Coordinates of all heavy atoms in Angstrom, one line a residue:
M1 N 25.1 2.6 -15.1 CA 23.9 1.7 -14.8 C 24.0 1.2 -13.4 O 23.0 1.1 -12.8 CB 24.0 0.5 -15.8 CG 22.8 -0.4 -15.7 SD 21.3 0.4 -16.2 CE 20.2 -0.9 -16.5
N2 N 25.2 0.9 -12.9 CA 25.3 0.4 -11.5 C 24.9 1.5 -10.5 O 24.3 1.2 -9.5 CB 26.8 0.0 -11.2 CG 27.1 -1.3 -11.8 OD1 26.2 -2.1 -12.1 ND2 28.4 -1.6 -12.0
N3 N 25.1 2.8 -10.9 CA 24.7 3.9 -10.1 C 23.2 3.9 -9.9 O 22.7 4.1 -8.8 CB 25.2 5.2 -10.6 CG 25.1 6.3 -9.7 OD1 24.9 6.2 -8.5 ND2 25.1 7.5 -10.2
L4 N 22.5 3.7 -11.0 CA 21.0 3.6 -11.0 C 20.5 2.5 -10.1 O 19.6 2.7 -9.3 CB 20.5 3.5 -12.4 CG 19.0 3.4 -12.6 CD1 18.3 4.6 -12.0 CD2 18.6 3.2 -14.0
I5 N 21.1 1.3 -10.3 CA 20.7 0.2 -9.5 C 21.0 0.4 -8.0 O 20.1 0.1 -7.2 CB 21.5 -1.1 -10.0 CG1 21.0 -1.5 -11.4 CG2 21.3 -2.3 -9.0 CD1 21.8 -2.6 -12.1
E6 N 22.1 1.0 -7.7 CA 22.4 1.4 -6.3 C 21.3 2.3 -5.7 O 20.9 2.2 -4.6 CB 23.8 2.0 -6.2 CG 24.9 1.0 -6.3 CD 26.3 1.7 -6.3 OE1 26.4 2.8 -5.7 OE2 27.2 1.1 -6.9
K7 N 20.9 3.3 -6.5 CA 19.9 4.3 -6.1 C 18.6 3.6 -5.9 O 17.8 3.9 -5.0 CB 19.8 5.4 -7.1 CG 21.0 6.3 -7.0 CD 20.9 7.5 -7.9 CE 22.2 8.4 -7.7 NZ 22.1 9.7 -8.2
V8 N 18.2 2.7 -6.8 CA 17.0 1.9 -6.6 C 17.0 1.1 -5.3 O 16.0 1.1 -4.6 CB 16.7 1.0 -7.8 CG1 15.5 0.1 -7.6 CG2 16.4 1.9 -9.1
Y9 N 18.1 0.5 -5.0 CA 18.2 -0.3 -3.8 C 18.2 0.6 -2.6 O 17.5 0.3 -1.6 CB 19.5 -1.2 -3.8 CG 19.3 -2.4 -4.5 CD1 20.1 -2.7 -5.7 CD2 18.5 -3.5 -4.1 CE1 20.0 -3.9 -6.4 CE2 18.3 -4.6 -4.8 CZ 19.1 -4.8 -6.0 OH 18.9 -6.0 -6.7
T10 N 18.8 1.8 -2.7 CA 18.7 2.7 -1.6 C 17.3 3.2 -1.3 O 16.8 3.2 -0.2 CB 19.6 4.0 -1.9 OG1 20.9 3.5 -2.1 CG2 19.5 5.0 -0.8
L11 N 16.6 3.5 -2.4 CA 15.1 3.9 -2.3 C 14.3 2.7 -1.7 O 13.5 3.0 -0.8 CB 14.6 4.2 -3.7 CG 13.1 4.6 -3.7 CD1 12.8 5.8 -2.8 CD2 12.6 4.9 -5.1
K12 N 14.6 1.5 -2.1 CA 13.9 0.4 -1.6 C 14.1 0.2 -0.1 O 13.2 0.0 0.7 CB 14.3 -0.9 -2.3 CG 13.7 -2.2 -1.8 CD 14.2 -3.4 -2.5 CE 13.8 -4.7 -1.8 NZ 14.4 -5.8 -2.3
N13 N 15.4 0.4 0.3 CA 15.7 0.3 1.8 C 15.0 1.4 2.6 O 14.6 1.2 3.7 CB 17.2 0.3 2.0 CG 17.9 -0.9 1.5 OD1 17.2 -2.0 1.5 ND2 19.1 -0.9 1.1
I14 N 15.0 2.6 2.0 CA 14.4 3.8 2.7 C 12.9 3.5 2.8 O 12.3 3.7 3.9 CB 14.6 5.1 1.9 CG1 16.1 5.5 2.0 CG2 13.7 6.2 2.4 CD1 16.5 6.6 1.1
L15 N 12.3 3.0 1.8 CA 10.8 2.7 1.8 C 10.6 1.6 2.9 O 9.6 1.6 3.6 CB 10.3 2.3 0.5 CG 10.2 3.4 -0.5 CD1 9.8 2.9 -1.9 CD2 9.2 4.5 -0.1
N16 N 11.4 0.5 2.9 CA 11.2 -0.6 3.8 C 11.3 -0.1 5.3 O 10.8 -0.8 6.2 CB 12.1 -1.7 3.5 CG 11.7 -2.5 2.3 OD1 10.5 -2.6 2.0 ND2 12.6 -3.2 1.7
S17 N 12.1 1.0 5.5 CA 12.2 1.4 6.9 C 11.1 2.4 7.3 O 11.1 2.8 8.4 CB 13.6 2.1 7.0 OG 13.7 3.3 6.3
Q18 N 10.3 2.8 6.4 CA 9.2 3.7 6.7 C 8.2 3.0 7.6 O 7.8 1.9 7.5 CB 8.4 4.1 5.4 CG 9.2 5.0 4.5 CD 9.4 6.4 5.0 OE1 8.5 7.0 5.5 NE2 10.7 6.8 5.0
E19 N 7.7 3.8 8.6 CA 6.8 3.2 9.6 C 5.5 2.7 8.9 O 4.9 1.7 9.4 CB 6.4 4.3 10.7 CG 7.5 4.5 11.7 CD 8.0 3.2 12.4 OE1 7.1 2.4 12.9 OE2 9.2 2.9 12.5
E20 N 5.0 3.4 7.9 CA 3.8 3.0 7.3 C 3.9 1.6 6.6 O 3.0 0.8 6.7 CB 3.4 4.0 6.2 CG 3.0 5.4 6.7 CD 4.2 6.3 6.8 OE1 5.3 5.9 6.7 OE2 3.9 7.5 7.2
I21 N 5.1 1.4 6.0 CA 5.4 0.1 5.4 C 5.5 -1.0 6.4 O 4.9 -2.1 6.3 CB 6.7 0.2 4.5 CG1 6.6 1.3 3.5 CG2 7.0 -1.2 3.9 CD1 5.5 1.1 2.4
K22 N 6.2 -0.7 7.5 CA 6.3 -1.7 8.5 C 4.9 -2.1 9.1 O 4.6 -3.2 9.4 CB 7.2 -1.2 9.7 CG 8.7 -1.1 9.3 CD 9.5 -0.5 10.4 CE 10.9 -0.3 10.0 NZ 11.7 0.2 11.2
K23 N 4.1 -1.0 9.4 CA 2.8 -1.3 10.0 C 1.9 -2.0 9.1 O 1.2 -2.9 9.5 CB 2.2 0.1 10.4 CG 0.9 0.0 11.2 CD 1.1 -0.7 12.5 CE -0.2 -0.7 13.2 NZ -0.3 -1.6 14.4
I24 N 1.9 -1.7 7.8 CA 1.0 -2.3 6.9 C 1.3 -3.8 6.7 O 0.5 -4.7 6.6 CB 0.8 -1.6 5.5 CG1 -0.5 -1.9 4.9 CG2 2.0 -2.0 4.6 CD1 -1.0 -1.0 3.8
R25 N 2.6 -4.1 6.8 CA 3.0 -5.5 6.7 C 2.6 -6.3 7.9 O 2.1 -7.4 7.8 CB 4.6 -5.6 6.6 CG 5.0 -5.3 5.2 CD 6.5 -5.5 5.1 NE 6.9 -5.3 3.7 CZ 8.1 -4.9 3.4 NH1 9.1 -4.8 4.3 NH2 8.4 -4.8 2.1
S26 N 2.7 -5.6 9.1 CA 2.2 -6.2 10.3 C 0.7 -6.4 10.3 O 0.2 -7.5 10.7 CB 2.6 -5.3 11.5 OG 2.0 -5.8 12.7
L27 N 0.0 -5.4 9.8 CA -1.5 -5.5 9.7 C -1.9 -6.6 8.7 O -2.9 -7.3 9.0 CB -2.1 -4.2 9.3 CG -2.2 -3.2 10.4 CD1 -2.7 -1.8 9.8 CD2 -3.2 -3.6 11.4
N28 N -1.2 -6.7 7.7 CA -1.5 -7.8 6.7 C -1.4 -9.2 7.3 O -2.2 -10.0 7.1 CB -0.5 -7.7 5.5 CG -1.0 -8.5 4.3 OD1 -2.1 -8.8 4.2 ND2 0.0 -8.9 3.5
K29 N -0.3 -9.4 8.1 CA -0.2 -10.6 8.8 C -1.4 -10.9 9.8 O -1.9 -12.0 9.9 CB 1.1 -10.7 9.6 CG 2.3 -10.8 8.7 CD 3.6 -10.8 9.4 CE 4.8 -10.8 8.5 NZ 6.1 -10.7 9.2
E30 N -1.7 -9.8 10.5 CA -2.9 -9.9 11.5 C -4.2 -10.2 10.7 O -5.0 -11.1 11.2 CB -3.1 -8.6 12.2 CG -2.0 -8.4 13.3 CD -2.3 -7.1 14.1 OE1 -3.4 -7.0 14.6 OE2 -1.4 -6.2 14.1
I31 N -4.4 -9.6 9.6 CA -5.6 -9.8 8.8 C -5.6 -11.3 8.3 O -6.6 -11.9 8.4 CB -5.7 -8.8 7.6 CG1 -6.0 -7.4 8.2 CG2 -6.7 -9.3 6.6 CD1 -6.0 -6.3 7.2
Q32 N -4.5 -11.8 7.9 CA -4.4 -13.2 7.4 C -4.7 -14.2 8.5 O -5.3 -15.3 8.2 CB -3.0 -13.5 6.8 CG -2.7 -12.7 5.6 CD -3.6 -13.0 4.4 OE1 -4.0 -14.1 4.2 NE2 -4.0 -11.9 3.7
L33 N -4.5 -13.8 9.7 CA -4.8 -14.7 10.9 C -6.3 -14.5 11.3 O -6.8 -15.4 12.1 CB -3.9 -14.4 12.1 CG -2.4 -14.7 11.8 CD1 -1.6 -14.2 13.0 CD2 -2.2 -16.2 11.6
D34 N -6.9 -13.5 10.9 CA -8.3 -13.3 11.3 C -9.2 -14.1 10.3 O -9.6 -13.6 9.2 CB -8.7 -11.8 11.2 CG -10.0 -11.4 11.7 OD1 -10.9 -12.3 11.7 OD2 -10.2 -10.3 12.2
K35 N -9.5 -15.3 10.7 CA -10.3 -16.2 9.8 C -11.7 -15.6 9.4 O -12.1 -15.8 8.3 CB -10.4 -17.6 10.4 CG -9.1 -18.2 10.7 CD -8.3 -18.4 9.4 CE -7.0 -19.1 9.7 NZ -6.0 -19.0 8.6
K36 N -12.3 -15.0 10.4 CA -13.6 -14.4 10.1 C -13.5 -13.3 9.0 O -14.3 -13.3 8.1 CB -14.2 -13.9 11.4 CG -15.6 -13.3 11.2 CD -16.2 -12.7 12.5 CE -17.5 -12.1 12.2 NZ -18.0 -11.4 13.4
L37 N -12.6 -12.4 9.1 CA -12.5 -11.4 8.2 C -12.1 -11.9 6.8 O -12.7 -11.5 5.8 CB -11.4 -10.4 8.6 CG -11.1 -9.2 7.7 CD1 -12.4 -8.4 7.4 CD2 -10.1 -8.3 8.3
I38 N -11.2 -12.9 6.8 CA -10.8 -13.5 5.5 C -12.0 -14.2 4.8 O -12.2 -14.0 3.6 CB -9.6 -14.5 5.7 CG1 -8.4 -13.8 6.1 CG2 -9.4 -15.3 4.4 CD1 -7.8 -12.8 5.1
S39 N -12.8 -14.8 5.6 CA -14.0 -15.5 5.1 C -15.0 -14.5 4.5 O -15.5 -14.7 3.5 CB -14.6 -16.3 6.2 OG -15.8 -16.8 5.8
Q40 N -15.1 -13.4 5.3 CA -16.0 -12.3 4.8 C -15.5 -11.7 3.5 O -16.3 -11.5 2.5 CB -16.1 -11.2 5.8 CG -16.9 -11.6 7.0 CD -16.9 -10.6 8.2 OE1 -15.9 -9.8 8.3 NE2 -17.9 -10.5 9.0
I41 N -14.2 -11.5 3.4 CA -13.6 -10.9 2.2 C -13.9 -11.9 1.0 O -14.3 -11.5 -0.1 CB -12.1 -10.6 2.3 CG1 -12.0 -9.4 3.3 CG2 -11.5 -10.3 1.0 CD1 -10.6 -9.2 3.8
N42 N -13.6 -13.2 1.2 CA -13.8 -14.2 0.2 C -15.3 -14.3 -0.2 O -15.6 -14.4 -1.4 CB -13.3 -15.5 0.6 CG -11.8 -15.5 0.7 OD1 -11.1 -14.8 -0.1 ND2 -11.2 -16.4 1.5
N43 N -16.2 -14.2 0.7 CA -17.6 -14.2 0.4 C -18.0 -13.0 -0.4 O -18.8 -13.1 -1.3 CB -18.4 -14.3 1.7 CG -18.4 -15.7 2.4 OD1 -18.1 -16.7 1.7 ND2 -18.7 -15.8 3.6
F44 N -17.5 -11.9 0.0 CA -17.8 -10.6 -0.7 C -17.3 -10.7 -2.2 O -18.0 -10.2 -3.1 CB -17.3 -9.4 0.0 CG -17.6 -8.2 -0.8 CD1 -18.9 -7.6 -0.8 CD2 -16.6 -7.5 -1.5 CE1 -19.2 -6.5 -1.5 CE2 -16.9 -6.3 -2.2 CZ -18.2 -5.8 -2.2
K45 N -16.2 -11.3 -2.4 CA -15.6 -11.4 -3.7 C -16.6 -12.1 -4.7 O -16.7 -11.8 -5.8 CB -14.3 -12.1 -3.7 CG -13.1 -11.2 -3.2 CD -11.8 -12.0 -3.2 CE -10.7 -11.2 -2.7 NZ -9.4 -12.0 -2.6
T46 N -17.2 -13.1 -4.1 CA -18.1 -14.0 -5.0 C -19.6 -13.4 -5.0 O -20.2 -13.6 -6.0 CB -18.1 -15.4 -4.5 OG1 -18.5 -15.5 -3.1 CG2 -16.8 -16.1 -4.7
S47 N -20.0 -12.8 -3.9 CA -21.4 -12.4 -3.8 C -21.7 -11.0 -4.1 O -22.8 -10.6 -4.4 CB -22.0 -12.8 -2.4 OG -21.4 -12.0 -1.4
Q48 N -20.7 -10.1 -3.8 CA -20.9 -8.6 -3.9 C -22.0 -8.2 -3.0 O -22.6 -7.1 -3.2 CB -21.1 -8.2 -5.3 CG -19.9 -8.5 -6.2 CD -18.7 -7.8 -5.9 OE1 -18.7 -6.6 -5.8 NE2 -17.6 -8.5 -5.8
D49 N -22.3 -8.9 -1.9 CA -23.3 -8.6 -0.9 C -23.0 -7.3 -0.1 O -21.9 -7.3 0.5 CB -23.5 -9.8 0.0 CG -24.7 -9.6 0.9 OD1 -24.9 -8.5 1.4 OD2 -25.4 -10.6 1.2
E50 N -23.8 -6.3 -0.2 CA -23.6 -5.1 0.6 C -23.5 -5.2 2.1 O -22.8 -4.5 2.7 CB -24.6 -4.0 0.2 CG -24.4 -3.4 -1.2 CD -23.1 -2.7 -1.4 OE1 -22.7 -1.9 -0.5 OE2 -22.4 -3.0 -2.4
N51 N -24.2 -6.2 2.6 CA -24.2 -6.4 4.1 C -22.8 -7.0 4.5 O -22.3 -6.6 5.5 CB -25.3 -7.4 4.5 CG -26.7 -6.8 4.4 OD1 -26.8 -5.6 4.6 ND2 -27.6 -7.6 4.1
I52 N -22.3 -7.8 3.6 CA -20.9 -8.4 3.9 C -19.9 -7.2 3.8 O -19.0 -7.1 4.6 CB -20.6 -9.5 3.0 CG1 -21.5 -10.7 3.2 CG2 -19.1 -10.0 3.1 CD1 -21.4 -11.8 2.2
K53 N -20.1 -6.4 2.8 CA -19.2 -5.2 2.6 C -19.2 -4.3 3.9 O -18.1 -3.9 4.3 CB -19.6 -4.4 1.4 CG -18.6 -3.3 1.1 CD -19.1 -2.6 -0.2 CE -18.1 -1.4 -0.5 NZ -18.5 -0.7 -1.7
K54 N -20.4 -4.1 4.4 CA -20.5 -3.3 5.6 C -19.7 -3.9 6.8 O -19.1 -3.2 7.6 CB -21.9 -3.0 5.9 CG -22.6 -2.0 5.0 CD -24.1 -1.9 5.4 CE -24.8 -1.0 4.3 NZ -26.2 -0.9 4.5
Q55 N -19.9 -5.2 6.9 CA -19.2 -5.9 8.0 C -17.7 -5.8 7.8 O -16.9 -5.6 8.8 CB -19.6 -7.4 8.0 CG -21.0 -7.6 8.4 CD -21.4 -9.1 8.2 OE1 -20.6 -9.9 7.9 NE2 -22.7 -9.4 8.5
I56 N -17.2 -5.9 6.6 CA -15.8 -5.8 6.3 C -15.3 -4.4 6.6 O -14.3 -4.3 7.3 CB -15.5 -6.2 4.9 CG1 -15.7 -7.7 4.6 CG2 -14.0 -5.9 4.5 CD1 -15.7 -8.1 3.2
T57 N -16.0 -3.4 6.1 CA -15.5 -2.1 6.3 C -15.6 -1.5 7.7 O -15.0 -0.5 8.1 CB -16.2 -1.1 5.3 OG1 -17.6 -1.2 5.5 CG2 -15.8 -1.4 3.9
S58 N -16.4 -2.2 8.5 CA -16.5 -1.8 9.9 C -15.5 -2.5 10.8 O -15.3 -2.2 12.0 CB -17.9 -2.1 10.5 OG -18.2 -3.5 10.5
N59 N -14.7 -3.5 10.3 CA -13.7 -4.2 11.0 C -12.5 -3.2 11.2 O -12.0 -2.6 10.3 CB -13.2 -5.4 10.2 CG -12.2 -6.2 10.9 OD1 -11.0 -5.7 11.0 ND2 -12.5 -7.4 11.4
E60 N -12.1 -3.1 12.5 CA -11.0 -2.1 12.8 C -9.7 -2.4 12.1 O -9.0 -1.5 11.7 CB -10.8 -2.1 14.4 CG -11.9 -1.5 15.1 CD -12.2 0.0 14.7 OE1 -11.2 0.8 14.5 OE2 -13.4 0.3 14.5
L61 N -9.3 -3.7 12.0 CA -8.1 -4.0 11.3 C -8.2 -3.6 9.8 O -7.2 -3.0 9.3 CB -7.8 -5.6 11.3 CG -7.2 -6.2 12.5 CD1 -7.1 -7.7 12.4 CD2 -5.8 -5.6 12.8
F62 N -9.3 -3.8 9.2 CA -9.5 -3.5 7.8 C -9.4 -1.9 7.7 O -8.8 -1.4 6.7 CB -10.8 -4.0 7.3 CG -11.0 -3.8 5.9 CD1 -10.5 -4.6 4.9 CD2 -11.8 -2.7 5.4 CE1 -10.7 -4.4 3.6 CE2 -12.0 -2.5 4.1 CZ -11.4 -3.4 3.1
K63 N -10.1 -1.2 8.6 CA -10.0 0.3 8.5 C -8.6 0.8 8.6 O -8.2 1.7 7.9 CB -10.9 0.9 9.6 CG -12.4 0.8 9.5 CD -13.0 1.5 10.6 CE -14.4 1.1 10.9 NZ -15.0 1.8 12.1
E64 N -7.9 0.3 9.6 CA -6.5 0.7 9.8 C -5.7 0.4 8.6 O -4.8 1.2 8.1 CB -5.9 0.1 11.0 CG -4.6 0.6 11.5 CD -4.1 0.1 12.8 OE1 -4.8 -0.7 13.5 OE2 -3.0 0.5 13.2
Y65 N -5.9 -0.8 8.0 CA -5.1 -1.2 6.8 C -5.4 -0.2 5.6 O -4.5 0.2 5.0 CB -5.5 -2.6 6.4 CG -4.7 -3.2 5.2 CD1 -3.5 -3.9 5.4 CD2 -5.2 -3.0 3.9 CE1 -2.8 -4.4 4.4 CE2 -4.4 -3.4 2.9 CZ -3.3 -4.1 3.1 OH -2.5 -4.6 2.0
K66 N -6.7 0.1 5.4 CA -7.1 1.0 4.3 C -6.5 2.4 4.5 O -6.1 3.0 3.6 CB -8.6 1.0 4.2 CG -9.2 -0.2 3.6 CD -8.5 -0.7 2.4 CE -9.3 -0.6 1.2 NZ -8.6 -1.1 0.0
N67 N -6.5 2.9 5.8 CA -5.9 4.2 6.1 C -4.4 4.2 5.7 O -3.9 5.1 5.1 CB -6.1 4.6 7.5 CG -7.5 5.0 7.8 OD1 -8.3 5.4 6.9 ND2 -8.0 4.9 9.0
L68 N -3.7 3.1 6.1 CA -2.3 3.0 5.8 C -2.0 2.9 4.3 O -1.1 3.4 3.8 CB -1.6 1.9 6.6 CG -1.3 2.1 8.0 CD1 -1.0 0.8 8.7 CD2 -0.2 3.1 8.2
E69 N -2.9 2.2 3.7 CA -2.8 2.0 2.2 C -2.9 3.4 1.5 O -2.1 3.6 0.6 CB -3.9 1.1 1.8 CG -3.9 0.7 0.3 CD -5.0 -0.2 -0.1 OE1 -6.2 0.1 0.1 OE2 -4.7 -1.3 -0.6
T70 N -3.8 4.2 2.0 CA -3.9 5.6 1.5 C -2.6 6.4 1.7 O -2.1 7.1 0.8 CB -5.1 6.3 2.1 OG1 -6.3 5.5 1.8 CG2 -5.3 7.7 1.6
E71 N -2.1 6.3 2.9 CA -0.8 7.0 3.2 C 0.3 6.5 2.3 O 1.1 7.3 1.8 CB -0.4 6.8 4.7 CG -1.3 7.6 5.6 CD -0.9 7.4 7.1 OE1 0.3 7.3 7.3 OE2 -1.8 7.3 7.9
I72 N 0.4 5.2 2.0 CA 1.4 4.7 1.2 C 1.2 5.1 -0.3 O 2.2 5.4 -1.0 CB 1.5 3.1 1.3 CG1 2.0 2.8 2.7 CG2 2.3 2.5 0.2 CD1 1.9 1.3 3.0
N73 N 0.0 5.2 -0.7 CA -0.3 5.7 -2.0 C 0.1 7.1 -2.2 O 0.6 7.5 -3.3 CB -1.8 5.5 -2.4 CG -2.2 4.1 -2.7 OD1 -1.3 3.3 -3.2 ND2 -3.4 3.8 -2.5
L74 N 0.0 7.9 -1.1 CA 0.5 9.3 -1.2 C 2.0 9.4 -1.3 O 2.5 10.2 -2.0 CB 0.0 10.1 0.0 CG -1.5 10.3 0.1 CD1 -1.9 11.0 1.4 CD2 -2.0 11.2 -1.1
I75 N 2.7 8.5 -0.6 CA 4.1 8.4 -0.7 C 4.5 8.1 -2.2 O 5.4 8.7 -2.7 CB 4.7 7.3 0.3 CG1 4.5 7.8 1.7 CG2 6.2 7.0 0.0 CD1 4.8 6.8 2.8
I76 N 3.8 7.1 -2.8 CA 4.1 6.7 -4.1 C 3.8 7.9 -5.1 O 4.6 8.1 -6.0 CB 3.2 5.5 -4.5 CG1 3.7 4.2 -3.7 CG2 3.3 5.2 -6.0 CD1 2.7 3.1 -3.8
L77 N 2.8 8.6 -4.9 CA 2.5 9.8 -5.7 C 3.7 10.8 -5.6 O 4.1 11.4 -6.6 CB 1.2 10.5 -5.3 CG -0.1 9.8 -5.8 CD1 -1.3 10.5 -5.2 CD2 -0.2 9.8 -7.3
G78 N 4.2 11.0 -4.4 CA 5.3 11.9 -4.2 C 6.5 11.4 -5.0 O 7.3 12.2 -5.6
I79 N 6.8 10.1 -4.9 CA 7.9 9.6 -5.6 C 7.8 9.7 -7.1 O 8.7 10.1 -7.8 CB 8.1 8.1 -5.3 CG1 8.6 7.9 -3.8 CG2 9.1 7.4 -6.2 CD1 8.5 6.5 -3.3
N80 N 6.6 9.5 -7.6 CA 6.3 9.6 -9.0 C 6.5 11.1 -9.5 O 7.0 11.3 -10.6 CB 4.9 9.1 -9.4 CG 4.8 7.6 -9.4 OD1 5.8 6.9 -9.5 ND2 3.6 7.1 -9.2
Q81 N 6.1 12.0 -8.7 CA 6.3 13.4 -9.0 C 7.7 13.8 -9.1 O 8.2 14.4 -10.1 CB 5.6 14.3 -8.0 CG 4.1 14.3 -8.1 CD 3.4 15.2 -7.0 OE1 4.0 15.4 -6.0 NE2 2.2 15.6 -7.3
K82 N 8.5 13.3 -8.2 CA 10.0 13.5 -8.2 C 10.6 12.9 -9.5 O 11.5 13.5 -10.1 CB 10.7 13.0 -7.0 CG 10.3 13.8 -5.7 CD 10.9 15.1 -5.8 CE 10.7 15.9 -4.5 NZ 11.1 17.3 -4.6
L83 N 10.2 11.6 -9.8 CA 10.7 11.0 -11.0 C 10.4 11.7 -12.2 O 11.2 11.8 -13.2 CB 10.2 9.5 -11.0 CG 10.8 8.6 -10.0 CD1 10.1 7.2 -10.1 CD2 12.3 8.4 -10.2
K84 N 9.2 12.3 -12.3 CA 8.7 13.0 -13.4 C 9.6 14.3 -13.6 O 10.0 14.7 -14.7 CB 7.3 13.4 -13.3 CG 6.7 14.0 -14.5 CD 5.2 14.3 -14.4 CE 4.7 14.9 -15.7 NZ 3.2 15.1 -15.6
E85 N 9.9 15.0 -12.4 CA 10.7 16.1 -12.5 C 12.1 15.8 -13.0 O 12.7 16.5 -13.8 CB 10.9 16.7 -11.1 CG 9.7 17.4 -10.5 CD 9.8 17.9 -9.1 OE1 11.0 18.0 -8.6 OE2 8.8 18.2 -8.5
I86 N 12.7 14.7 -12.6 CA 14.0 14.2 -13.0 C 14.0 14.0 -14.5 O 14.9 14.4 -15.2 CB 14.4 13.0 -12.2 CG1 14.7 13.4 -10.7 CG2 15.7 12.4 -12.8 CD1 14.9 12.2 -9.8
T87 N 13.0 13.3 -15.0 CA 13.0 12.9 -16.4 C 12.7 14.1 -17.2 O 13.2 14.2 -18.4 CB 11.9 11.8 -16.7 OG1 10.7 12.2 -16.3 CG2 12.3 10.5 -16.0
N88 N 12.0 15.1 -16.7 CA 11.7 16.3 -17.5 C 12.9 17.2 -17.6 O 13.1 18.0 -18.5 CB 10.5 17.1 -16.9 CG 9.2 16.4 -17.3 OD1 9.1 15.7 -18.2 ND2 8.2 16.7 -16.5
K89 N 13.8 17.2 -16.6 CA 15.0 18.0 -16.6 C 15.9 17.7 -17.8 O 16.6 18.6 -18.3 CB 15.8 17.9 -15.3 CG 15.2 18.6 -14.2 CD 16.0 18.4 -12.9 CE 15.4 19.0 -11.7 NZ 16.1 18.8 -10.5
G90 N 15.9 16.5 -18.2 CA 16.8 16.0 -19.3 C 16.3 16.3 -20.7 O 16.9 16.0 -21.7
K91 N 15.0 16.8 -20.8 CA 14.4 16.9 -22.1 C 14.6 18.4 -22.6 O 14.7 19.3 -21.9 CB 12.9 16.7 -22.0 CG 12.6 15.2 -21.8 CD 11.1 15.0 -21.8 CE 10.8 13.5 -21.5 NZ 9.4 13.2 -21.5
C92 N 14.7 18.5 -23.9 CA 14.8 19.8 -24.6 C 13.4 20.3 -24.8 O 12.5 19.6 -25.3 CB 15.5 19.6 -25.9 SG 15.8 21.1 -26.8
N93 N 13.2 21.6 -24.5 CA 11.9 22.2 -24.6 C 11.9 23.0 -25.9 O 12.3 24.2 -25.9 CB 11.6 23.1 -23.4 CG 11.4 22.3 -22.2 OD1 10.9 21.2 -22.2 ND2 11.8 22.9 -21.0
L94 N 11.4 22.4 -27.0 CA 11.4 23.2 -28.3 C 10.0 23.6 -28.6 O 9.0 23.1 -28.3 CB 11.9 22.3 -29.4 CG 13.4 22.0 -29.3 CD1 13.7 21.0 -30.5 CD2 14.2 23.2 -29.4

């Protein structure tokens, strides 16, 4: 069990050292400081106004964040595929 925990911590450290993870954390902080963008996001959550959505999606910080989010999702998909391979190796195929 300790071996598994060590491997999870190793994976966590590897992920935390990825440039995409570092950059998205930085962008998240920048977005939180952008009061206008935060206000637009909050307004959109309540109104679902397409004009507000266009303003949000045209914001450069938001675009960069969404691109990095996609890259991170691809990393997660890769990890999930590897985990599936590992779990399938231990199964009996009858």
Side-chain angles (χ1 to χ4, degrees):
M1 185 67 161
N2 286 337
N3 190 22
L4 177 60
I5 293 171
E6 287 175 26
K7 288 184 179 195
V8 169
Y9 279 114
T10 300
L11 176 60
K12 179 183 170 188
N13 291 333
I14 290 169
L15 289 173
N16 283 335
S17 67
Q18 294 290 312
E19 284 304 312
E20 295 87 354
I21 302 295
K22 290 178 184 178
K23 184 67 178 166
I24 205 163
R25 285 184 174 155
S26 172
L27 281 173
N28 192 29
K29 289 177 185 176
E30 286 182 57
I31 289 171
Q32 294 300 319
L33 295 174
D34 188 334
K35 300 300 181 194
K36 181 180 178 187
L37 179 57
I38 294 298
S39 175
Q40 289 172 331
I41 292 170
N42 290 332
N43 287 338
F44 179 73
K45 285 179 182 178
T46 58
S47 71
Q48 300 294 308
D49 185 323
E50 286 299 314
N51 290 326
I52 296 173
K53 183 178 180 179
K54 287 178 186 175
Q55 292 173 4
I56 293 169
T57 55
S58 67
N59 181 290
E60 290 302 316
L61 278 176
F62 186 81
K63 284 185 206 178
E64 191 173 356
Y65 185 91
K66 290 309 248 180
N67 286 335
L68 281 168
E69 186 179 57
T70 300
E71 289 181 35
I72 291 169
N73 284 332
L74 292 173
I75 292 170
I76 292 168
L77 282 173
I79 292 169
N80 286 338
Q81 286 176 337
K82 290 292 182 187
L83 289 172
K84 188 174 181 179
E85 287 175 18
I86 291 168
T87 57
N88 285 338
K89 285 182 183 176
K91 293 183 179 177
C92 181
N93 293 328
L94 294 177

